[in-house]
């Protein structure tokens, strides 16, 4: 993006390039410096060379793979390492007399809500876990459609589910399913190309042709989100076309058979185009669409297929129940935390007084309490711990307590616990409670103890 280029030019090139120290003496891991045993090469500088050595670069005899793949058509990197890949790495290549990458794309970050992902914050979302829950294609689509070209994108489970239902289940999945189903119902699965006889036909085809142009333009310039938007707009136009033509009404009179066949053909042809454009974005779904419409024609132009003989309609994406999914995620997060705690207990049968001293326990009064939407097990507690800043804690005690049971009571809070985000609420601490048995939990109240008092 232009902003990345300007950052490099204005911050590093215009002021004048300075010599760069690429060794360190404060640690021993790294590539040793041959002329000074106190220094090692800093890790990122030798990491850069892996782009070419990993595919067989050799100063005397390069591999066939290197000759085939280098120079790279595109280097895709994070925005925080643009300097390394557009200043230092090109200089190394120039020194070696090697060609430079043809383009460099410095992509933005994926934020969780408004925060950068961080293990210390406990808000890291792993792609493999998302794919296991929602499918690989759904994750690919969300990331490619939701992350802008130059600005940071954001991820929350709520936004993911909303987009999944709106775009994949309702718009795309519904279009494919009902079009294939109607083709089977009204014509035994076979339709032919008909005449473009009405204005809505012309508008649909014009939208398809405009979408193809926008798709090429945006994909070639790596504006993936805009390409996804244009694809989904065509799918929405197809659904509108169904409402305009009302195939179910045409089917009531055999005199309309030619018109009905043409309508379904137009829809199937648009679906074929959608499948082609979606193939690099959602490859599995694209294959599923092709199997349902029984087309292997990959020409990205309307009207290339003479007739269709479709297969069985199979739903592409099942609509998600937002509340149910969020509750499952919260339960899994809680189970993982308990397992981690149990493992910690098992590995620390005995702790020293120094270990115990690391845990900061304080008295805190519950000044407000409310349920957390879409999370049946959690309550959001607002605590006064003697500081000027209210403390928010999400606690899985909703099964045993109502907000009215808790407000006004003083509890013990672990105040230096690493923050964790639960169902959109950042929890800063944990209140102490007793597991009386498998199905009974008692919060430990210490009413009368001043807020902020240290527990020891």
């Amino acid at each position: 993006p232009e902003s990345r280029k300007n950052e490099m030019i204005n911050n590093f090139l215009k002021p004048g390039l300075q010599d760069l120290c690429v060794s360190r003496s404060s640690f021993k891991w790294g590539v040793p410096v041959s002329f000074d045993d106190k220094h090692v090469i800093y890790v990122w500088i030798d990491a850069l060379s892996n782009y070419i050595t990993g595919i067989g670069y050799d100063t005397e005899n390069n591999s066939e793979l290197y000759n085939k793949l280098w120079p790279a058509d595109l280097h895709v990197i994070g925005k925080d390492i643009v300097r390394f890949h557009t200043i230092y790495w090109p200089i190394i290549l120039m020194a070696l007399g090697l060609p430079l990458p043809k383009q460099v794309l410095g992509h933005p970050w994926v934020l969780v809500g408004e925060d950068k992902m961080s293990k210390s914050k406990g808000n890291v979302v792993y792609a493999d876990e998302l794919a296991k829950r929602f499918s690989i294609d759904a994750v690919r689509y969300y990331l490619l459609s939701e992350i802008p070209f130059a600005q940071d994108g954001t991820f929350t489970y709520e936004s993911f589910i909303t987009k999944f239902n709106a775009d994949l289940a309702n718009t795309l999945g519904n279009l494919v399913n009902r079009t294939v189903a109607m083709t089977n119902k009204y014509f035994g699965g076979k339709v032919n190309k008909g005449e473009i006889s009405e204005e809505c036909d012309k508008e649909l085809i014009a939208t398809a042709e405009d979408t193809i142009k926008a798709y090429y333009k945006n994909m070639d310039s790596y504006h993936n989100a805009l390409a996804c938007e244009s694809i989904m707009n065509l799918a929405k136009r197809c659904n509108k076309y169904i409402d305009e033509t009302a195939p179910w009404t045409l089917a009531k009179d055999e005199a309309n058979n030619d018109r009905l066949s043409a309508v379904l053909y137009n829809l199937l042809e648009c679906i074929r185009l959608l499948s082609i454009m979606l193939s690099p974005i959602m490859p599995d779904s694209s294959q599923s669409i092709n199997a349902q419409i029984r087309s292997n024609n990959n020409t990205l132009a309307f009207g290339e297929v003479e007739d269709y003989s479709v297969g069985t309609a199979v739903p592409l994406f099942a609509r998600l129940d937002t509340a149910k999914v969020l509750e499952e995620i919260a339960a899994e997060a809680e189970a993982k935390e308990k397992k981690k705690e149990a493992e910690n207990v098992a590995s620390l049968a005995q702790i020293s007084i120094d270990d115990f001293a690391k845990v900061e326990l304080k008295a805190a009064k519950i000044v407000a309490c409310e349920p957390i939407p879409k999370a049946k097990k959690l309550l959001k507690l607002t605590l006064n711990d003697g500081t000027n800043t209210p403390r928010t804690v999400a606690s899985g005690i909703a099964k045993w307590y109502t907000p009215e049971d808790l407000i006004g009571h003083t509890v013990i809070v672990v105040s230096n616990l690493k923050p964790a985000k639960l169902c959109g609420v950042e929890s800063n601490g944990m209140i102490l409670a007793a597991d009386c048995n498998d199905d009974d939990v008692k919060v430990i109240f210490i009413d009368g103890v001043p807020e902020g008092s240290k527990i020891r």
Side-chain angles (χ1 to χ4, degrees), residues 371-440:
I372 296 177
K374 303 172 184 175
K376 294 181 181 179
K377 295 184 178 181
L378 296 176
L379 291 178
K380 177 182 175 183
L381 310 178
T382 302
L383 307 177
N384 175 5
D385 62 359
T387 65
N388 294 325
T389 304
R391 177 186 293 272
T392 299
V393 172
S395 181
I397 55 174
K399 181 178 179 180
W400 299 279
Y401 291 90
T402 66
E404 292 74 20
D405 295 332
L406 298 168
I407 295 174
H409 285 291
T410 301
V411 295
I412 301 173
V413 61
V414 182
S415 59
N416 62 339
L417 192 67
K418 181 175 68 176
K421 186 159 283 189
L422 301 174
C423 290
V425 174
E426 184 174 279
S427 182
N428 290 277
M430 179 185 294
I431 65 169
L432 298 192
D435 283 325
C436 300
N437 54 53
D438 290 340
D439 198 39
D440 189 19

Side-chain angles (χ1 to χ4, degrees), residues 326-337:
L326 292 178
E327 187 175 343
E328 289 173 353
I329 292 170
E332 288 177 9
E334 186 176 356
K336 285 182 180 178
E337 192 64 32

Side-chain angles (χ1 to χ4, degrees), residues 193-203 205 259 262 266 302:
K193 182 190 291 188
E195 294 183 3
I196 301 169
S197 58
E198 296 187 14
E199 190 62 31
C200 61
D201 301 342
K202 298 176 183 177
E203 290 178 3
I205 295 169
R259 174 60 184 157
N266 291 341
F302 189 93

Side-chain angles (χ1 to χ4, degrees), residues 92-222:
I92 294 172
L93 291 169
M94 290 176 185
L96 292 169
L98 300 178
L100 308 185
K102 297 174 184 177
Q103 283 185 299
V104 177
L105 172 62
H107 65 75
W109 289 334
V110 181
L111 305 178
V112 176
E114 297 179 355
D115 298 326
K116 185 179 176 182
M117 285 195 198
S118 167
K119 287 186 177 180
S120 63
K121 290 184 178 180
N123 65 347
V124 175
V125 179
Y126 293 96
D128 54 349
E129 293 180 3
L130 287 178
K132 185 177 180 181
R133 181 181 295 278
F134 299 111
S135 83
I136 294 174
D137 273 13
V139 176
R140 289 171 63 109
Y141 176 75
Y142 181 88
L143 293 175
L144 288 168
S145 65
E146 195 68 13
I147 311 304
F149 176 66
Q151 288 79 41
D152 292 338
T154 186
F155 173 89
T156 65
Y157 282 106
E158 291 85 352
S159 63
F160 186 99
I161 295 169
T162 298
K163 195 168 190 68
F164 180 101
N165 285 337
D167 289 4
L168 302 183
N170 293 355
T171 299
L172 178 65
N174 189 39
L175 168 65
V176 174
N177 190 263
R178 61 178 177 164
T179 300
V180 173
M182 287 190 293
T183 304
N184 280 312
K185 180 178 180 179
Y186 301 139
F187 293 104
K190 298 180 180 180
V191 295
N192 301 314
K193 182 190 291 188
E195 294 183 3
I196 301 169
S197 58
E198 296 187 14
E199 190 62 31
C200 61
D201 301 342
K202 298 176 183 177
E203 290 178 3
L204 178 68
I205 295 169
T207 301
E209 292 172 344
D210 289 343
T211 299
I212 293 168
K213 293 176 184 176
Y215 176 79
Y216 275 121
K217 176 184 176 183
N218 290 318
M219 290 294 277
D220 285 346
S221 60
Y222 313 112

Side-chain angles (χ1 to χ4, degrees), residues 317-366:
F317 298 95
R319 184 175 173 81
L320 300 173
D321 183 324
T322 303
K324 182 180 178 182
V325 173
L326 292 178
E327 187 175 343
E328 289 173 353
I329 292 170
E332 288 177 9
E334 186 176 356
K336 285 182 180 178
E337 192 64 32
K338 286 184 176 180
K339 181 180 178 182
K340 186 177 179 181
E341 290 173 3
E343 290 173 349
N344 289 339
V345 170
S347 63
L348 296 172
Q350 292 185 330
I351 62 173
S352 69
I353 189 65
D354 292 333
D355 293 324
F356 180 74
K358 295 176 183 177
V359 181
E360 186 178 274
L361 302 176
K362 283 185 177 182
K365 179 174 283 189
I366 302 174

Side-chain angles (χ1 to χ4, degrees), residues 212-254:
I212 293 168
K213 293 176 184 176
Y215 176 79
Y216 275 121
K217 176 184 176 183
N218 290 318
M219 290 294 277
D220 285 346
S221 60
Y222 313 112
H223 286 73
N224 304 313
L226 294 179
C228 290
E229 182 181 8
S230 65
I231 292 170
M232 211 50 62
N233 284 339
L234 174 58
K236 291 175 183 176
R237 184 65 186 85
C238 288
N239 283 319
K240 181 182 177 184
Y241 179 75
I242 293 176
D243 295 335
E244 292 170 338
T245 56
W248 49 88
T249 301
L250 293 172
K252 293 178 180 179
D253 189 344
E254 288 187 4

Side-chain angles (χ1 to χ4, degrees), residues 193 196 201 204-205 208-209 212 262 265-270 272-273 299-305:
K193 182 190 291 188
I196 301 169
D201 301 342
L204 178 68
I205 295 169
E209 292 172 344
I212 293 168
Y265 170 87
N266 291 341
L267 288 168
L268 289 167
E269 187 66 352
C270 283
R272 181 183 69 83
L273 299 177
T299 306
L300 201 51
F302 189 93
E304 290 296 317
V305 177

